[in-house]
């Protein structure tokens, strides 16, 4: 039948009484509707009437024609409803724009319907802050503030959208929060007809089921999982994973192999949970489902199970899994247990790890080799249930964790544990305490240290040490550059410079030893013994309070996030301290060492000092309270801190408490909403500043779009520059898992008229893009180096160093230019002090840990790096207080692969990297350019003199030729060149002089061609090389690493850090690597005065060599009482300057 040019006649058949004519018209229109829909649109009511007529034989055909008409009219909701009414006539297998559009609309409606159903959320609502804010503050006391989420878009006054992907509302997308009957006329509202017509819903679910089945047959399981997660249909998610497992089994039987689909899907679901799902309650439900499915698999992926256990805070399940693996008595499963223990330490809090250790079976006789810092009997006895324990118990109960019965079973089974299992459990305890990981990291940083001392010497020479800001800058650069390496040579060789530190510069310099010796568990206390506070004895000279406070801070940094005897030692000194400076350092040390322990007794000690209302130590105490209660969400602590923040008059105390509250809400997400709302509505800008920090830490790493909107709104609307600055900076914490999205987001903010906003944009780039070398971020930061405001330049330099850390010329060609820019800024006499300070810190960061560390806010396995995030958050407060800069060292992560065998020893073997050696090599060291005397000015030579010399040369050549019988090769060019050089008194010709230089010296011509040769060598460089165990492996290099050695094979895919290996030939003898970091350090006694100590150290410097550590060398310098302290020793007065005039001066001047 030829195509119709008009539908007028066919449309007329629709009004005929005979059904046959109506059916004929519908069939014709169905085939030609794409070209005739404009004429049919006027009669769509007749087609709808036929569909609604129960006696009409072809109702489904009428529905299909009506659906196509509405589709062409772009009324997609109505089109979908009629398409569903068409039943089998609507064929989803047919490929076409109409079918694709309707299927997409069906999926959106399915998601909206599922989202509108009440969700059975077993999680208990977070406790309410009852006395958090006064009603006059217009804060959380108002209903709107308590109900609205801080991540709600400001265009919506209703509950936030439940769309997990946070899609923008549009006319083509349903919003689950806009249900039928309430706001049905709003764009994105769910059509009421879909809710009211049960038959339409049944047809919709039938279409979706058919769509799912088609995906299953085609192996597109991920599409089903994505729809199920978006629709919150856990039953569909379970069905998809089980179907994939069944199909995998069938394929294995038929093909004797096949893909491991179920395991890949599990990893995909975990990735969605961590990176896409933004609601914590639903994320917990997903993880519980994944956990159940993983446990049902005959050979489960234990590492994925461990991920779920850590996030759900199920310490009982963690201990059960470790016990089961050890009791299998298989070397491989024991190695897996060790690997899981290492992963648990990297991803868990101290409180979680302590509970896991306690639930492991007790060993009858602990080995004598147990170190004193792995267990703390005093803390074990005092481990009573606290409020944070109660909160964690509630979360465990809500997560459906079975009650732990290990306590009763251990007594029964203790005697049955064989010696091998006892040894394994003791090894797991050592791993969970962190001792093994810290020891291996220290060994790697010690033996691989490539710090460039020439850079430090240049920084020291370019700044005035008497200026405290410059002295602090050099100290911080030294600490960062040697973080964790135990190399304090710079301090030992520069005692005279170190002696210029006074007051808080001395505090910072002493604390820098903690950064340098971080992880030196065996010798940390001995190193700092000369500095620690001592009981005053009559007749002795007391040491400086600043070095005492700094030593407590340093002790906390050495044992950071590692609950050992040091925590009690710092606590004891903190209690006895009477001077505010010592209390300040003790509070910071307590916070760092006891991070996330949730210890109520330490919290009470800190609170007692807080109530003395001292501004000096109040700020440190507020931060320490937050560090101790990190991530617990302790309501009682929050109420105490909020109340005191409103009562005190000291801004420093309020600032410390604001940061402390943010730390308590770390990772709480929706649980922090009420606190965020209350703080942001407070009239005090410092508390609003804390509200932004709370938002950043509560949603860190989630990439929450609505949290980003909130931050952007505050960044352009708040009246306080400080609040706007932290709002922009916090974007880096929210989005550090999506670094490529940050430059585009802050591009306009980096050009703001407000310098605080520009500084915040620079720091946001540094925080989110750290270690990536992202070109887009560098392009935004480079113009900011020349910003007219000094602190903006400071932030740009620091951020550039964060981004360029561990980058070389092969990875990013701009790294050389940026390093030169940093050195130029520090050596420029006209540069401001703040910029020089930032440049010095940047030079330390870019070579952090001896060029073996990167800045990482997430762990090797992809979880949040709690200590790294906290360290970065507190580091940003250096704006107000320089000693807090040391916290950045908590973000430094060693980039190494360390292989351990089943005996937890470091075997000597090699693994393979399928790259060119130069691609991930160390950057070249800074060229040591000695400061020469000023260059001579070229001597002016008159033209007549030059002509006379040339005539004399020409005459001399002629005489030589006439006097010789045989002509020889003349040496004129060389003579002429020397004469020319003598004419102008120029220095030796440089390579840049071009052709003349090539003629002068052939050797320099060869040197000039070296860069091209190097390039050719790089091009011809062989791809692939072997690396020794415990070698530096950058994050970008991990994907190229493989273990080709037949003897040692990893138990999991290499992710960096500690990797357990299985020995395929255990009967053969093995060679182990020597641990070089274990050295005995003998601290020296401190002389009584600063000058005596300096003279003695200088006199004995050569004899001492490297036998004594830097802590002992510099002890007397740093512990000496400052000269300007009341009652301290006075500095020796300089001698009078005597001048003897020379009677011949005038005569000499006249002669000249």
């Amino acid at each position: 039948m030829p195509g119709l040019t008009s539908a007028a006649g066919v449309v007329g058949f629709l009004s005929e009484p005979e059904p046959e004519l109506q059916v004929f018209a519908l069939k014709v229109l169905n085939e030609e509707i794409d070209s005739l829909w404009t004429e049919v649109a006027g009669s769509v009511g007749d087609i709808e009437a036929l569909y609604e007529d129960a006696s009409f034989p072809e109702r489904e055909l009428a529905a299909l024609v009506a659906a196509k008409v509405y589709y062409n009219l772009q009324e997609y909701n109505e089109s979908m409803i009629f398409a569903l009414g068409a039943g089998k006539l609507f064929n989803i297998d047919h490929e076409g724009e109409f079918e694709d559009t309707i299927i997409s609309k069906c999926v959106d409606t399915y998601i909206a319907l599922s989202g509108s159903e009440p969700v059975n959320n077993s999680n208990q609502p977070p406790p309410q802050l009852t006395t958090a804010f006064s009603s006059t503050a217009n804060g959380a006391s108002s209903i709107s503030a308590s109900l609205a989420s801080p991540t709600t878009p400001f265009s919506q006054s209703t509950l936030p959208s439940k769309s997990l992907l946070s899609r923008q509302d549009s006319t083509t997308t349903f919003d689950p929060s806009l249900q039928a009957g309430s706001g049905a006329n709003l764009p994105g509202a769910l059509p009421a007809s879909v809710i009211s017509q049960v038959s339409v819903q049944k047809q919709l679910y039938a279409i979706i089921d058919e769509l799912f089945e088609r995906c299953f047959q085609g192996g597109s399981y991920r599409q089903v999982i994505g729809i199920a997660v978006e629709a919150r249909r856990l039953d569909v998610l379970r069905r998809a994973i089980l179907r994939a497992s069944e199909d995998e089994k069938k394929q294995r039987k038929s093909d004797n192999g096949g893909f491991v689909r179920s395991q890949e899907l599990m990893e995909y679901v975990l990735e969605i949970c961590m990176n896409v799902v933004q609601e914590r309650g639903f994320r917990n439900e997903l993880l519980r489902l994944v956990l159940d499915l993983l446990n049902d698999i005959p050979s489960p992926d234990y590492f994925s199970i461990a991920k779920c256990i850590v996030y759900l805070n199920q310490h009982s399940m963690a201990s059960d899994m470790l016990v089961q693996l050890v009791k299998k008595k298989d070397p491989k499963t024991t190695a897996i247990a060790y690997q899981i223990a290492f992963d648990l330490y990297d991803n868990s809090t101290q409180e979680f790890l302590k509970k896991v250790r306690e639930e492991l079976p007790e060993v009858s006789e602990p080995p004598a080799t147990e170190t004193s810092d792995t267990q703390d009997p005093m803390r074990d006895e005092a481990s009573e249930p606290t409020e944070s324990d109660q909160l964690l118990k509630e979360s465990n109960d809500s997560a459906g964790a079975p009650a732990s019965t290990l306590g009763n079973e251990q007594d029964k089974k203790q005697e049955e544990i064989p010696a091998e299992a006892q040894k394994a459990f003791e090894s797991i305890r050592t791993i969970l305490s962190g001792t093994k990981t810290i020891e291996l990291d220290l060994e790697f940083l010690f033996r691989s240290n490539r710090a460039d001392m020439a850079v430090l010497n240049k920084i020291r020479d370019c700044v005035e040490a008497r200026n405290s800001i410059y002295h602090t800058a050099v100290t911080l650069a030294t600490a960062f550059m040697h973080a964790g390496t135990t190399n304090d040579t710079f301090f030992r060789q520069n005692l005279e410079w170190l002696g210029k530190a006074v007051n808080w510069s001395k505090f910072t310099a002493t604390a820098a030893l903690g950064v340098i010796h971080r992880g030196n568990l065996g010798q940390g206390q001995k190193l700092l013994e000369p500095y620690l506070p001592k009981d005053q004895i009559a007749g002795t000279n007391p040491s400086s309070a600043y070095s005492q406070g700094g030593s407590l801070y340093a002790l906390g940094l050495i044992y950071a996030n590692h609950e050992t005897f040091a925590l009690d030692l710092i606590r004891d000194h903190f209690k006895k301290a009477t001077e505010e400076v010592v209390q300040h350092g003790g509070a910071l040390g307590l916070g760092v060492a006891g991070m996330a322990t949730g210890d109520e007794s330490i919290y009470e000690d800190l609170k007692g000092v807080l109530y003395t209302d001292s501004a000096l130590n109040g700020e440190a105490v507020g931060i320490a309270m937050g560090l101790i209660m990190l991530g617990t969400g302790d309501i009682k602590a929050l109420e105490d801190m909020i109340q005191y923040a409103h009562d005190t008059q000291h801004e420093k105390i309020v600032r410390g408490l604001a940061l402390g509250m943010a730390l308590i809400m770390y990772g709480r997400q929706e649980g922090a909403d009420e606190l965020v709302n209350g703080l942001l509505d407070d009239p005090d800008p410092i508390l609003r500043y804390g509200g932004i920090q709370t938002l950043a830490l509560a949603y860190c790493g989630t990439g929450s779009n609505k949290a980003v909107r909130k931050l952007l709104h505050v960044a352009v609307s708040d009246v306080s520059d400080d609040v706007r600055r932290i709002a922009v900076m916090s974007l880096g914490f929210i989005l550090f898992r999506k670094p490529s999205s940050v430059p585009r987001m802050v591009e306009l903010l980096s050009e703001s008229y407000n310098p605080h906003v520009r500084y915040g944009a620079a720091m946001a780039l540094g925080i989110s893009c750290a270690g990536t070398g992202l070109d887009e971020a560098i392009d935004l930061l480079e113009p900011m180096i020349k910003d007219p405001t000094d602190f903006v330049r400071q932030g740009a330099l620091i951020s550039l160093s964060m981004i360029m850390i561990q980058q070389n010329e092969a990875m990013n060609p701009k790294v050389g230019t940026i390093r030169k820019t940093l050195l130029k800024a520090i050596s420029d006499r006209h540069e401001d002090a703040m910029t020089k300070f930032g440049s010095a810190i940047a030079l330390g960061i870019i070579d952090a840990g001896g060029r073996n560390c990167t800045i990482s806010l997430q762990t090797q396995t992809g979880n949040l790096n709690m200590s790294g995030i906290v360290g970065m958050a507190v580091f940003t407060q250096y704006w107000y207080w320089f000693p807090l800069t040391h916290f950045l060292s908590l973000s430094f992560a060693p980039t190494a692969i360390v292989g351990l065998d089943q005996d937890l020893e470091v075997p000597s073997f090699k693994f393979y990297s399928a790259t060119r050696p130069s691609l991930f090599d160390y950057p070249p060291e800074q060229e040591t350019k000695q400061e020469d005397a000023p260059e001579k000015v070229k001597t002016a030579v008159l033209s007549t003199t030059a002509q006379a010399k040339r005539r004399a040369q020409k005459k001399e050549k002629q005489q030589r030729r006439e006097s010789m019988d045989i002509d020889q090769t003349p040496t004129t060019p060389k003579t002429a060149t020397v004469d020319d050089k003598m004419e102008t008194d120029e220095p030796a010709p440089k390579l840049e002089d071009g052709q003349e230089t090539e003629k002068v010296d052939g050797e320099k011509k060869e040197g000039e061609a070296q860069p091209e040769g190097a390039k050719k060598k790089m091009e011809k460089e062989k791809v692939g090389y072997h690396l020794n165990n415990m070698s530096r492996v950058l994050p970008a290099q991990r994907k190229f690493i493989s273990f080709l050695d037949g003897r040692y094979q990893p138990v999991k895919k290499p992710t960096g850090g500690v990797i357990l290996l299985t020995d395929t030939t255990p009967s053969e003898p093995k060679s182990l690597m020597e641990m070089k970091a274990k050295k005995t350090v003998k601290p020296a006694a401190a002389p009584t005065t600063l000058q005596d100590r300096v003279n003695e150290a200088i006199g004995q410097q050569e004899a001492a060599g490297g036998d004594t550590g830097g802590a002992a060398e510099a002890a007397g310098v740093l512990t000496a009482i400052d000269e300007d302290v009341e009652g301290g020793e006075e500095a020796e007065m300089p001698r009078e300057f005597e001048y003897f005039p020379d009677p011949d001066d005038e005569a000499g001047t006249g002669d000249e």
Side-chain angles (χ1 to χ4, degrees), residues 349-363:
T349 64
Q350 291 191 49
E351 189 175 17
F352 180 91
L353 295 171
K354 184 178 179 181
K355 291 180 179 178
V356 175
R357 291 200 305 268
E358 290 173 351
E359 291 170 355
L360 290 175
E362 292 294 336
V363 181

Side-chain angles (χ1 to χ4, degrees), residues 33 248 416 561 566 579 786 1071 1097:
I33 194 66
E248 180 186 351
E416 303 174 5
N561 198 21
E579 299 191 35
K786 301 177 182 178
S1071 61

Side-chain angles (χ1 to χ4, degrees), residues 1095-1118:
N1095 294 337
E1096 181 184 346
I1098 294 175
Q1100 298 179 356
Q1101 188 170 6
E1102 294 183 1
D1107 296 335
T1108 56
E1113 284 289 333
V1117 177
L1118 290 177

Side-chain angles (χ1 to χ4, degrees), residues 363 417 427 432 552 656 705 763 795 799-800 835 865 940 969 975 1066 1106 1144:
V363 181
I417 299 177
S427 298
L432 291 176
L552 294 178
N705 293 338
M763 292 301 293
S799 295
L800 278 173
T835 308
N865 181 8
T969 304
T975 307
D1144 298 332

Side-chain angles (χ1 to χ4, degrees), residues 156-169:
Q156 296 183 10
S157 59
T158 59
L159 293 177
S161 171
K162 294 181 181 177
S163 173
L164 301 175
L165 301 180
S166 299
R167 295 175 299 183
Q168 296 288 340
D169 292 337

Side-chain angles (χ1 to χ4, degrees), residues 463 467 469-470 473 790-791 793-794 825-826 828-840 882:
V463 295
N467 192 330
I469 186 174
Y470 291 147
D790 52 359
F791 61 79
R793 297 197 296 274
Q794 179 192 79
I826 198 72
D828 188 355
R829 296 180 180 178
H830 304 289
E831 191 59 86
D832 294 320
M834 293 185 71
T835 308
K836 285 190 174 183
F837 179 83
S839 178
F882 285 156

Side-chain angles (χ1 to χ4, degrees), residues 431-669:
I431 296 170
L432 291 176
S433 69
T435 306
K436 195 67 181 177
T437 302
I438 295 172
E439 177 187 331
L440 294 171
D441 288 344
L442 182 74
E443 175 68 25
F444 163 69
L445 293 175
F446 175 80
R447 68 193 303 150
S448 304
N449 182 18
R450 297 285 291 270
D452 193 350
M453 296 297 291
V455 175
L456 285 178
N457 292 329
K458 184 173 180 63
I459 299 174
R460 180 204 59 201
D461 296 338
C462 290
V463 295
E464 175 55 47
R466 281 291 181 187
N467 192 330
S468 73
I469 186 174
Y470 291 147
H471 196 287
T472 301
V474 180
T475 300
L476 294 171
T478 307
F480 290 157
M481 197 174 290
H482 295 96
T485 64
T486 72
N487 182 358
D488 43 26
T489 309
F490 182 81
F491 285 157
R492 188 168 62 245
Q493 294 177 349
N494 295 276
L495 293 177
E496 185 177 355
W497 166 85
L498 192 62
K500 297 178 182 179
V502 293
N503 298 338
W504 288 105
S505 295
K506 182 173 292 186
F507 179 93
T508 307
T510 311
L513 293 173
V515 178
I516 294 173
H517 291 276
R518 185 190 171 196
N520 198 352
L521 304 180
Q523 303 164 5
Q525 184 183 3
K526 195 173 183 180
L527 283 163
L528 296 175
E529 191 65 36
Y531 308 91
L532 293 172
K534 298 179 181 65
D535 296 333
Q536 183 62 34
I537 303 174
T540 60
N541 190 16
S543 60
S544 170
Y546 292 96
S547 64
Q548 293 178 8
S551 66
L552 294 178
Y553 185 14
L555 196 60
L557 289 169
I558 289 177
Y559 295 91
N561 198 21
H562 183 62
E563 188 180 3
T564 59
F565 72 95
L567 191 61
D568 288 323
L569 179 63
I570 300 172
R571 183 180 176 187
D572 185 51
H573 286 301
F574 177 73
K575 285 181 178 180
K576 294 179 181 178
T578 56
E579 299 191 35
E580 293 179 337
V581 178
V582 181
Q583 290 179 336
H584 183 96
L588 292 176
L590 270 178
V592 178
M595 188 187 301
T597 56
D599 193 309
E600 287 283 346
S601 57
I602 297 179
Y603 171 79
E604 291 297 329
D605 293 339
L606 292 168
K607 189 169 70 171
V609 176
L610 174 69
Y611 286 165
T612 61
D613 204 39
S614 168
L616 187 58
N617 56 31
E619 182 176 17
V621 167
I623 296 173
M625 292 165 70
L627 289 170
I628 294 294
M629 294 293 178
L630 179 64
T632 61
D634 193 298
I635 300 302
K636 181 177 178 296
L638 289 172
E639 290 175 355
D640 293 341
M641 297 169 77
I642 293 168
Q643 186 63 41
Y644 196 77
H646 283 102
D647 293 343
T648 185
Q649 301 297 319
H650 296 292
E651 288 188 0
K652 289 175 72 67
I653 296 180
V654 177
R655 186 174 296 115
L657 290 172
L659 179 55
M661 288 186 285
L663 293 169
I664 290 177
M665 282 299 181
Y666 165 81
R668 305 298 293 184
Q669 296 186 18

